[in-house]
């Protein structure tokens, strides 16, 4: 496996991952832009409207037929919140030529061209996106925004985040707001699209069995040629300057649920980037694995939950604790969870816990190259945070963490918000 | 050792049936860091009534025992829990229960043999006490309640209620609070002894392995058990008819969720051929490039590609079309109409070939990840299928064969609509 990156133009990068581990080639285009209330909804509609057609494949049906014809190329798009950025993600996955029943097809080149066409050469009528498509996709996004209540556990987590980051970019919902959809039409959306595409950060990832021509094929592609140089507008998730809040925020809301969903949003008040490795270990011991305090004490010993875990969000330095409990057990569960956080501060964990956590994290890092999409996500994370840490370095930094480091982290962990979804 | 090679996907599977009846399959993947091991028993929520080999009376147990066993096997006599031990080794361990099998697995980069020791030890050494069985009821109770809050699960399970009169596919894999309350250690031991005999089990290893060497490692860790005779599985009689063509449940959701179910009969031979044909048909009817999808999308009746699947075990088979829509009745009506239209006018050759290419690609993609490969081989094995057969058989699927399947399977009186809405 070899990873390389090169700047095609200022603000536009090509990343290649040459690997023969897979039956497929995976290409991704990531459009990164600063998250804000003004544009969040528009970006969501953009990511949906681009699927509706390009100049060479003017309808959704044309795109689908083309993809099917290419042995079921999977074309997919997503929208992510990464730190204070919104990332529009476009993927195409095709079978590598070695596994096609007929030879002589250059599937990689074709799929690259098709994907770039969809993202950078959309179907336009009279200097506007087709208004029928825009109205349909607005409705589509509306349904998806309203659909956030359908997955109750996910909804509780989203609500907790929203409360913790009131009036801040990260508190925004990644698909935007229903009330902001009204003002969007084909014309202003296209104007916005043009400005977005000429000011955002663009990263193109190609993973698979590649030949040395790939960079020149990308560079010479006419859709890439059309793009201007730019100083991309996005937020590098480095300095966080977090301080502990005075009093915890306690929120409880009602919905038609059988099981209560309890979320604790924690602030990790550190400002040095290198301490994030220590936090990874801290989180693993607190609730990141089956050996963790949460799993052992809340699930296995107290039998209060089936799901009892925690997650570290490194771009924002938050940990979210997540539990599904019987509604009547709220007080019991909450005090038990808080006890776990306290125990971490008091150093009530063993060298064995630390060693186990390290093994788990290192095993995850070692498999990065074994999963095509994980590889891309890893290198994109590095790109975004302007860090350049090899997998070997990463492992070394994890190895170095000791008990004192973890207790130091524990002392900087504060409960920010307790959110409970009940009936 | 038997070796089967697929020239299409350029992979090999090494298969050996050991003296004690255990089937071991190895799919070597050179150069992969990740190693995956899965050990399964042909025993899932389908099996509630059976005759233990050597006995004559029928044993009937409460629903949810297979899944309960899955939870409890991790517990060891020395007080440790194997999930903790495996996690401490830095391996990702898990287990799951389906309608027709239960499986224990881990994925790792380092400490493979230590993890193999632990996995093979705990699966072969059950330890149930009154106390540890009682404790589990609380945790599984929360798991059951978690599923109650998943509308996708409700709409699916309700579809089963509408299609099946007696078949155990209609019961929840985890059981209910009421049925699990009746489970005790004696029931668990009895089911364990019956279904965890090596002759009822299969193991798959996928990763950078040398087949001959790894099979020796497996043998070393097996305790001395004799292959038992056939387990007689008793399933209730299931009429071909559906129960009711509509079923509805109220839950707080943004948009109604729907599942259209088509009840099929179980065919014993060439199940995978039928599976391929039905996958092709579903895509022709309502797939991304279909006329119907376009029409429904433009009318705002659906806003994403519905999930299309054909599910089957040795005792049931059905096709499912699921998604969200403001008007599930309309989706159902138009779906039926499109089926009738295809029956009358035939399947266009061009469309058929295009979808076939797509399905072929989707099979190739299954071979990227060691976990996907191992799970696929295990699941297919218990259905009596070698996973490579899908790649071999797809070429021979013709328009005529698919039209026949369309007539045989997609019948109006075998269809149901399940809806979950506000």
């Amino acid at each position: 496996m070899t990873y390389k990156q090169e700047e095609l133009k200022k603000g536009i990068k090509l990343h290649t991952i040459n690997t023969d581990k897979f039956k497929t080639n995976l290409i991704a285009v990531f459009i990164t832009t600063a998250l804000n209330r003004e544009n969040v909804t528009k970006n969501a509609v953009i990511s949906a409207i681009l699927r509706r057609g390009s100049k060479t494949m003017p309808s959704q049906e044309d795109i689908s037929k083309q993809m099917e014809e290419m042995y079921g190329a999977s074309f997919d798009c997503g929208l992510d919140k990464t730190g204070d950025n919104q990332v529009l993600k476009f993927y195409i996955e095709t079978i590598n030529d070695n596994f096609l029943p007929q030879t002589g097809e250059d599937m990689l080149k074709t799929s690259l061209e098709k994907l770039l066409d969809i993202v950078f050469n959309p179907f336009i009528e009279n200097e506007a996106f087709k208004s029928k498509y825009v109205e349909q996709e607005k409705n589509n996004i509306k349904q998806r925004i309203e659909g956030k209540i359908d997955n109750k556990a996910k909804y509780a987590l989203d609500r907790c985040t929203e409360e913790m980051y009131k009036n801040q970019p990260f508190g925004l919902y990644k698909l935007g707001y229903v009330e902001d959809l009204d003002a969007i039409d084909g014309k202003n959306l296209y104007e916005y699209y043009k400005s977005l595409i000429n000011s955002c950060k663009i990263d193109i990832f190609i993973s698979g069995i590649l030949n040395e021509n790939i960079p020149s094929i990308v560079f010479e592609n006419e859709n890439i040629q059309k793009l201007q140089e730019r100083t991309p507008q996005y937020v590098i998730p480095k300095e966080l300057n977090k301080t502990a809040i005075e009093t915890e925020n306690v929120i409880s809301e009602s919905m038609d649920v059988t099981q209560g969903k309890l979320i604790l949003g924690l602030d990790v008040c550190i400002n040095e980037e290198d301490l994030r490795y220590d936090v990874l270990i801290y989180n693993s011991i607190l609730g990141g694995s089956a050996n963790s305090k949460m799993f052992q004490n809340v699930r296995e010993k107290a039998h209060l939950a089936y799901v009892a875990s925690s997650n570290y969000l490194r771009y924002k330095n938050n940990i979210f604790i997540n539990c599904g409990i019987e509604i009547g057990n709220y007080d019991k569960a909450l005090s038990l969870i808080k006890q776990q956080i306290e125990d971490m501060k008091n150093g009530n964990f063993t060298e064995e816990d630390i060693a186990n956590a390290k093994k788990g994290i290192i095993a995850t890092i070692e498999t990065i190259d074994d999963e095509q999409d994980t590889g891309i996500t890893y290198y994109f994370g590095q790109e975004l945070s302007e860090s350049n840490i090899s997998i070997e370095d990463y492992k070394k930094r994890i190895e170095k963490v000791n008990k004192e480091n973890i207790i130091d982290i524990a002392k900087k962990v504060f409960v920010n918000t307790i959110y409970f979804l009940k009936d | 050792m038997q070796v089967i090679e697929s020239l299409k996907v350029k992979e090999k599977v090494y298969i050996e049936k050991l003296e004690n009846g255990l089937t071991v399959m190895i799919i070597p993947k050179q150069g992969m860091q990740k190693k995956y091991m899965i050990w399964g028993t042909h025993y899932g929520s389908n099996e509630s009534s059976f005759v233990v080999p050597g006995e004559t009376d029928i044993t009937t147990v409460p629903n949810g025992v297979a899944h309960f066993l899955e939870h409890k096997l991790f517990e060891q006599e020395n007080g440790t829990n194997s999930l903790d031990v495996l996690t401490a080794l830095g391996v990702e361990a898990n287990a799951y229960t389906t309608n027709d099998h239960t499986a224990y697995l881990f994925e790792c980069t380092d400490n493979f043999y230590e993890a193999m020791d632990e996995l093979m030890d705990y699966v072969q050494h059950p330890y149930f006490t009154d106390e540890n069985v009682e404790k589990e009821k609380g945790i599984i109770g929360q798991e059951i309640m978690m599923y109650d809050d998943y509308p996708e699960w409700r709409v699916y399970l309700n579809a089963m209620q509408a299609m099946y009169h007696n078949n155990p596919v209609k019961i929840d894999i985890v059981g209910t609070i009421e049925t699990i309350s009746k489970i005790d250690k004696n029931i668990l031991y009895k089911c364990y002894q019956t279904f965890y005999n090596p002759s009822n089990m299969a193991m798959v290893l996928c990763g950078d392995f040398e087949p001959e060497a790894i099979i020796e490692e497996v043998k070393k860790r097996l305790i001395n058990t004799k292959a038992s005779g056939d387990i007689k599985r008793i399933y209730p009689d299931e009429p071909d008819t559906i129960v009711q063509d509509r079923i509805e449940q109220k839950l707080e959701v943004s948009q109604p969720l729907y599942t259209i179910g088509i009840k099929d009969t179980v065919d014993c031979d060439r199940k995978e051929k039928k599976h391929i044909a039905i996958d092709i048909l579903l895509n022709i009817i309502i797939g991304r490039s279909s006329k119907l999808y376009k029409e429904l999308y433009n009318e705002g009746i659906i806003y994403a590609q519905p999930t299309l699947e054909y599910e089957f075990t040795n005792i049931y088979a059905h096709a499912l079309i699921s998604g969200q829509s403001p008007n599930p009745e309309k989706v159902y009506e138009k779906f039926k109409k499109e089926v009738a239209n295809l029956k009358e006018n035939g399947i266009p050759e061009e469309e058929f070939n295009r979808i076939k290419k797509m399905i072929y690609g989707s099979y190739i993609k299954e071979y990227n990840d060691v976990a996907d490969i191992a799970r696929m081989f295990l699941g297919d094995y218990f259905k009596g299928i070698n996973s490579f057969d899908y790649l071999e058989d797809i070429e021979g699927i013709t328009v005529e064969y698919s039209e026949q399947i369309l007539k045989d399977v997609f019948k109006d009186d075998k269809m149901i609509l399940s809806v979950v809405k506000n």
Side-chain angles (χ1 to χ4, degrees):
Chain A
M1 199 286 308
T2 45
Y3 165 72
K4 277 189 203 157
Q5 54 158 286
E6 62 183 283
E7 194 163 59
L8 295 171
K9 275 176 200 180
K10 193 160 183 274
I12 306 173
K13 270 191 187 167
L14 172 67
H15 309 253
T16 53
I17 303 170
N18 202 345
T19 168
D20 60 2
K21 285 187 174 180
F22 309 105
K23 309 289 177 195
T24 47
N25 298 315
L26 182 61
I27 309 176
V29 175
F30 295 159
I31 305 274
T32 306
T33 181
L35 189 59
N36 57 49
R37 174 69 196 241
E38 198 194 332
N39 296 332
V40 63
T41 314
K42 287 184 217 158
N43 288 332
V45 183
I46 293 278
S47 103
I49 198 81
L50 294 180
R51 293 180 301 140
R52 297 304 303 270
S54 70
K55 289 232 172 73
T56 65
M57 299 173 283
S59 74
Q60 205 171 8
E61 195 185 347
D62 294 326
I63 295 178
S64 298
K65 283 185 175 163
Q66 176 67 44
M67 297 300 144
E68 287 166 359
E69 208 49 77
M70 295 162 71
Y71 293 91
S74 340
F75 162 63
D76 205 359
C77 47
L79 197 64
D80 270 350
K81 202 160 69 167
T82 308
D84 287 342
N85 297 299
Q86 199 172 12
V87 186
L88 285 74
K89 298 183 163 179
F90 302 89
Y91 292 94
I92 191 165
E93 184 190 41
T94 47
I95 306 301
N96 185 278
D97 291 0
N98 294 352
F99 305 100
L100 295 179
Q102 280 137 26
T103 49
E105 312 197 25
D106 190 346
M107 199 58 96
L108 181 63
K109 185 165 181 280
T110 313
S111 57
L112 178 67
E113 283 166 359
K114 296 296 170 198
L115 186 64
L116 294 176
D117 196 58
I118 292 169
V119 181
F120 299 113
N121 194 25
F123 179 69
I124 298 302
E125 274 180 351
N126 309 320
E127 281 300 294
F129 286 115
K130 193 178 167 119
S131 71
K132 188 176 126 201
Y133 289 175
V134 173
E135 288 315 308
Q136 283 170 349
E137 293 311 321
K138 277 163 62 178
N139 186 45
N140 207 329
I141 295 291
K142 178 171 171 267
Q143 312 290 0
R144 286 175 60 196
I145 296 171
E146 289 169 350
K148 61 182 166 183
I149 63 163
D150 296 347
N151 182 334
K152 314 295 186 225
K154 177 79 177 42
Y155 174 75
L157 181 64
D158 282 340
R159 281 286 302 122
C160 184
T161 311
E162 205 167 84
E163 288 293 328
M164 280 170 86
Y165 288 94
K166 255 188 195 153
N167 305 317
Q168 293 174 57
F170 196 68
L172 294 168
Y173 188 60
K174 69 172 184 177
L175 292 171
Y177 296 86
V178 173
E179 61 271 30
D180 294 356
L181 285 165
D182 278 348
I184 298 173
D185 62 35
K187 203 146 197 97
N188 63 25
L189 191 67
Y190 184 54
E191 285 308 313
Y192 173 73
Y193 166 80
K194 284 192 288 187
S195 73
L196 171 73
I197 235 60
N198 283 311
S199 64
C200 65
K201 173 171 173 53
I202 299 176
D203 292 277
I204 301 165
F205 284 84
I206 307 180
S207 168
I209 306 173
L210 313 178
N211 60 42
E212 64 271 25
N213 301 330
I214 286 295
S216 60
I217 291 174
V218 180
F219 188 74
E220 281 157 26
N221 180 283
E222 54 177 333
N223 288 310
I224 297 293
Q225 288 288 320
K226 280 190 317 199
L227 295 169
Q228 300 162 10
E229 296 197 338
R230 77 276 316 279
T231 308
Q233 305 299 311
Y234 70 106
V235 185
I236 302 164
K238 268 192 184 294
E239 306 286 309
L240 289 166
N241 296 321
K242 249 189 200 316
T243 46
I245 62 158
E246 304 272 312
T247 45
E248 348 172 305
N249 200 358
V250 183
I251 297 147
S252 146
E253 288 178 334
S254 291
M255 207 182 242
D256 173 21
V257 290
T258 312
Q259 186 188 52
K261 320 287 172 194
L262 175 60
I263 312 280
L264 269 73
L266 315 180
D267 285 324
V268 188
C269 296
I270 54 161
N271 290 309
E272 280 161 73
E273 214 189 336
D274 278 358
L275 290 178
R276 291 179 195 184
Y277 301 94
D278 307 24
V279 187
L280 273 174
I281 311 266
Y282 169 89
N283 177 62
S284 175
I285 298 173
L286 176 68
S289 83
N291 281 335
S292 66
K293 291 190 169 295
M294 286 293 300
F295 193 91
Q296 288 299 325
N297 297 326
V298 180
R299 173 176 153 142
E300 293 296 313
K301 292 211 181 83
H303 326 140
L304 286 170
Y306 172 72
V307 174
S309 64
S310 72
N311 257 313
Y312 174 41
L313 210 68
R314 72 182 174 112
Y315 293 116
K316 297 301 288 180
N317 265 333
N318 290 119
I319 288 174
F320 288 95
I321 291 178
N322 171 16
C323 255
I325 56 167
E326 208 156 301
I327 291 156
N329 283 337
Y330 174 80
D331 291 323
K332 216 161 138 192
L334 184 59
S335 84
L336 192 57
I337 293 168
K338 285 191 161 174
Q339 186 57 51
Q340 310 311 309
I341 300 172
E342 232 15 74
D343 280 354
M344 291 299 294
K345 283 189 184 128
N346 297 328
N348 289 338
F349 53 92
T350 62
E351 286 299 330
E352 200 190 338
D353 291 333
I354 302 171
N356 293 343
K358 285 180 179 175
K359 275 187 250 168
I361 294 167
I362 287 170
T364 316
I365 302 165
E366 281 176 333
T367 60
I368 288 172
D369 292 335
D370 282 359
E371 293 165 8
Q372 217 164 7
D373 53 340
T374 311
I376 290 180
T377 307
Y378 176 78
Y379 292 109
F380 180 61
Q382 300 253 312
E383 167 66 31
L384 207 59
S385 51
E386 293 186 340
S387 50
N388 183 14
I389 294 152
S390 70
I391 290 177
E392 275 314 303
D393 276 350
Y394 201 122
K395 277 157 68 175
K396 277 187 200 137
R397 288 179 194 219
I398 291 291
E399 290 289 6
K400 247 178 40 197
V401 179
N402 63 32
K403 186 163 182 180
E404 270 169 49
N405 300 145
I406 301 164
I407 296 173
D408 284 345
I409 295 295
K411 288 178 179 154
K412 288 170 186 147
V413 171
F414 301 93
V415 177
N416 178 310
T417 298
I418 298 162
Y419 179 88
F420 191 50
L421 187 65
K422 57 182 179 59
D423 62 355
Chain B
M1 209 180 312
Q2 188 194 3
V3 187
I4 303 174
E5 182 171 11
S6 165
L7 295 171
K8 299 207 164 63
V9 75
K10 300 188 173 68
E11 299 288 358
K12 283 181 190 160
V13 58
Y14 295 74
I15 308 172
E16 179 144 312
K17 196 165 177 125
L18 304 179
E19 224 174 293
N20 65 9
L22 176 69
T23 300
V24 183
M25 289 175 273
I26 300 144
I27 302 111
K29 286 287 263 184
Q30 271 184 4
M32 282 285 183
Q33 296 277 317
K34 249 204 284 192
K35 295 181 173 68
Y36 195 91
M37 176 172 181
I38 185 163
W39 196 3
T41 165
H42 190 193
Y43 168 50
S45 57
N46 285 347
E47 282 79 26
S48 294
S49 280
F50 48 90
V51 179
V52 178
E55 290 182 9
T56 45
D57 290 347
I58 294 172
T59 301
T60 298
V61 297
N63 293 333
V65 174
H67 171 261
F68 206 106
L69 254 175
E70 172 221 310
H71 271 238
K72 277 328 311 165
L73 264 195
F74 285 96
E75 208 117 4
Q76 296 297 291
E77 193 170 359
N78 63 10
T80 60
N81 182 302
S82 290
L83 185 63
D84 303 350
V85 176
L86 287 163
T87 308
L89 287 168
V91 316
E92 181 112 356
N94 213 337
Y96 63 86
T97 309
T98 72
N99 298 86
D100 73 343
H101 71 281
T102 311
Y104 303 86
L105 59 100
F106 71 87
E107 176 178 299
C108 72
T109 52
D110 292 323
N111 295 328
F112 176 80
Y113 291 107
E114 291 82 349
M116 189 185 200
D117 284 339
E118 186 66 30
L119 176 79
M120 290 190 64
D121 185 52
Y122 85 79
V123 174
Q124 297 181 94
H125 294 101
Y127 177 68
F128 312 131
T129 62
D130 292 329
E131 197 197 346
N132 75 23
V133 169
E134 277 319 302
K135 166 210 123 168
E136 207 65 29
K137 291 179 182 172
I139 297 172
I140 295 177
Q142 285 308 312
E143 190 179 358
I144 292 171
M145 285 166 85
M146 177 180 83
Y147 283 115
D148 282 342
D149 284 338
Y150 284 155
E152 295 86 353
W153 180 244
R154 298 315 317 166
V155 77
Y156 168 83
L157 208 58
N158 291 344
M160 299 302 129
Q161 309 300 316
M163 277 190 285
Y164 293 93
H165 299 265
N166 309 313
N167 194 297
V169 67
K170 67 187 292 184
I171 60 173
D172 204 329
I173 291 170
V174 291
T176 63
I177 304 271
E178 199 248 322
T179 64
I180 65 165
S181 73
K182 295 182 190 140
I183 295 174
D184 60 33
K185 69 174 186 201
N186 298 329
I187 294 174
L188 293 179
Y189 274 120
K190 182 146 201 174
C191 290
Y192 178 87
Q193 296 303 347
T194 308
F195 292 103
Y196 283 70
N197 182 276
S199 58
N200 192 48
M201 300 179 84
M203 184 187 281
V204 187
L205 294 122
C206 186
D208 201 340
F209 294 118
E210 210 284 291
E212 300 287 349
I214 198 73
I215 202 113
E216 289 309 315
E217 296 291 341
V218 170
K219 283 186 199 164
K220 264 199 269 180
R221 290 165 174 83
L222 284 169
I223 60 169
N224 196 4
T225 315
K226 292 237 162 7
S228 66
D230 273 349
I231 305 157
K232 191 161 178 244
R233 299 157 197 256
I234 320 270
Y235 303 113
D237 281 334
E238 177 65 33
D240 285 346
T241 55
I242 58 165
V243 180
Q244 58 199 83
D245 72 341
R246 296 285 197 290
I247 189 162
E248 205 175 288
Q249 186 183 344
K250 297 219 176 298
L251 267 185
E252 196 167 342
V253 288
S254 64
Q255 277 276 345
L257 280 82
Y258 67 88
T259 291
I260 299 170
I262 307 165
K263 187 174 178 179
D264 189 14
T265 48
V266 178
D267 280 314
C268 289
D269 50 272
R270 308 313 275 172
K271 284 176 265 198
E272 74 279 7
K273 267 187 83 176
K274 190 176 188 181
H275 184 183
I276 300 168
I278 289 178
D279 272 351
I280 295 175
L281 287 167
L282 289 170
N283 276 283
I284 289 176
I285 299 163
I286 197 170
R288 241 179 254 274
S289 65
S290 66
K291 281 197 297 288
L292 179 58
Y293 176 72
K294 185 177 161 185
E295 185 185 328
L296 294 170
Y297 194 99
N298 283 336
E299 288 174 26
I301 295 172
I302 57 176
Y303 47 98
Q305 150 93 52
T307 308
L308 309 174
E309 35 187 351
Y310 182 61
E311 279 190 339
F312 62 101
T313 67
N314 297 336
I315 60 161
Y316 63 78
H318 48 250
L320 303 172
I321 299 97
S322 327
Q324 265 185 304
S325 166
N327 192 348
E329 281 294 337
K330 196 96 193 162
V331 180
Y332 190 37
E333 181 200 314
K334 297 232 172 181
F335 176 83
K336 282 182 165 175
K337 228 167 126 185
E338 184 56 25
V339 169
N341 172 43
L342 270 184
K343 279 183 189 164
E344 202 180 310
N345 300 316
I347 299 168
E349 185 95 26
E350 184 212 327
E351 223 161 300
F352 180 81
N353 290 330
R354 197 180 64 235
I355 299 293
K356 210 165 121 175
K357 272 176 135 178
M358 176 190 91
I359 303 278
Y360 180 84
S362 73
Y363 295 153
I364 296 280
K365 286 180 202 165
E366 303 281 349
Y367 290 85
N368 264 350
D369 185 63
V370 294
D372 293 345
I373 298 170
R375 284 172 80 141
M376 171 171 69
F377 271 84
L378 187 78
D380 285 344
Y381 174 81
F382 290 129
K383 293 183 168 77
I385 296 171
N386 177 309
S387 303
F388 286 155
D389 289 346
Y390 282 98
L391 287 158
E392 297 307 318
D393 288 347
I394 185 164
E395 218 162 280
I397 308 286
T398 59
V399 171
E400 294 69 38
Y401 175 70
S402 304
E403 284 174 345
Q404 192 56 49
I405 295 287
L406 181 71
K407 289 200 180 82
D408 295 346
V409 179
F410 290 69
K411 291 180 181 154
D412 267 13
D413 62 354
K414 295 291 172 62
M415 295 190 196
I416 63 97
L417 176 67
S418 164
V419 174
V420 164
K421 63 181 192 182
N422 272 338

